[in-house]
Amino acid sequence: MSKTLKDLPNIEELHARLHFGKLSIENRRALEHLRNLKRLTLEASNYFGDELCRLSRLEYLEIGSHGFDAAALTECCITMGDLRHLNMGHKIEGLSTDHFITIAEECAQLERLAFGIRNLDTNVEYEFVCRLPKLQHLFVWINGAVRPEFLVGLINKVAQPKPIESLILVGSRLPLEQVNLVCQITSLKELDISCEATAIQDLLNLRNVKYLHLTMPEITNDQLKELILNLPQLILLNVRSCRLITEQFVASILELLPHIENRMRKKIKIHLKGSDINWSQIDHKLLQRKKAVVEIINETLEEPILIRQELTMNQSN
């Protein structure tokens, strides 16, 4: 593996799955020879990350590593001045407030950030990432409620030149008071959220949202229809565990197609998984004919949209 990497000093993109525990010290340092690398997705076991900071030209870094050292992450943030996408995963242990302060101070170009708070002490102030001037896309693995200061920080970014456009919260359901705070981030174009209770009126504040991913088990046919009719930018609605949604919802949407088409002038795609719809009773031929206006699909959408899009050309280059 070391010889292969050393023979490719000019590559700019690498997706690697490595097992460092079985390799020599020389091989563990193989990555540092890829000095022209701009995009790295690294899945590795027993890798502390000591050599990554030498890849100073990286713009895109995803880490999937058990044992990755929080101090090594700090070094990466200091040396990678062009870093625009950072996925830290949710396996890094030992992250402290100081590490998040370093990210906020050193990663001025960062547009996308993914990290986990499941293993953090409750006093770790990860809301410092809200100070990143160009941050627009956030993916956070959570375990229960998040720090209110974090949500307030995102709300405060709404009036800034680069507000948050997508927020993906994965792992557990938020209490109603925190859903209310999330829905005050009115700049959002994409939101993925799981709710302990139904919060339709809060969600209706998201006038800019295009992609909405929901886990809200008690949502009804009428409430789901209300979201579709009153979120003017909505083009994708991905609803999971919606056990109260029935085939009557599908019928009502088909009846409203002229209104949807005239008012919104765009196609809406609706993913429903875990509903009570008897799909054998649905007129699939009619759905197919109306596909240009609305598409209703019996499956969930697993991945977010905006944070996975290709980075645009860096204007500073």
Side-chain angles (χ1 to χ4, degrees), residues 246-272:
T246 67
E247 51 268 23
Q248 280 71 38
F249 166 76
V250 179
S252 66
I253 291 298
L254 291 176
E255 290 176 3
L256 288 168
L257 281 184
H259 175 76
I260 293 173
E261 188 172 17
N262 291 334
R263 181 178 177 182
M264 301 187 177
R265 300 183 185 278
K266 57 183 175 295
K267 176 179 176 177
I268 296 180
K269 185 177 288 189
I270 305 169
H271 290 256
L272 300 172

Side-chain angles (χ1 to χ4, degrees), residues 100-249:
F100 286 98
I101 290 175
T102 298
I103 292 173
E105 292 179 346
E106 301 292 341
C107 298
Q109 303 302 317
L110 203 61
E111 302 168 23
R112 307 173 182 178
L113 176 63
F115 64 95
I117 62 174
R118 295 171 177 173
N119 298 321
L120 297 184
D121 290 338
T122 56
N123 61 348
V124 174
E125 300 174 27
Y126 52 86
E127 59 267 20
F128 274 98
V129 301
C130 300
R131 299 186 181 184
L132 288 162
K134 295 187 178 181
L135 184 66
Q136 292 188 287
H137 307 286
L138 261 173
F139 189 121
V140 186
W141 288 271
I142 66 175
N143 184 18
V146 300
R147 286 174 60 88
E149 296 88 349
F150 172 64
L151 298 178
V152 171
L154 297 179
I155 294 170
N156 291 337
K157 277 183 67 70
V158 169
Q160 296 180 10
K162 295 286 186 179
I164 291 294
E165 292 190 355
S166 67
L167 178 62
I168 312 299
L169 300 173
V170 175
S172 59
R173 297 177 185 175
L174 288 183
L176 191 58
E177 61 270 18
Q178 294 214 326
V179 176
N180 176 271
L181 286 174
V182 169
C183 293
Q184 293 180 46
I185 311 170
T186 54
S187 57
L188 286 176
K189 295 181 180 179
E190 181 171 18
L191 173 64
D192 190 324
I193 191 171
S194 298
C195 310
E196 289 183 354
T198 305
I200 299 302
Q201 292 306 311
D202 289 326
L203 290 169
L204 291 177
N205 292 326
L206 300 174
R207 308 295 290 175
N208 293 305
V209 73
K210 293 183 176 183
Y211 312 100
L212 182 58
H213 313 264
L214 285 178
T215 299
M216 193 177 289
E218 302 302 320
I219 194 169
T220 65
N221 291 334
D222 288 342
Q223 290 170 332
L224 194 57
K225 184 171 65 175
E226 188 175 2
L227 288 178
I228 292 170
L229 293 177
N230 292 287
L231 292 176
Q233 303 300 322
L234 192 65
I235 58 176
L236 184 142
L237 180 58
N238 180 32
V239 189
R240 304 164 295 235
S241 303
C242 46
R243 60 194 178 200
L244 300 183
I245 302 303
T246 67
E247 51 268 23
Q248 280 71 38
F249 166 76

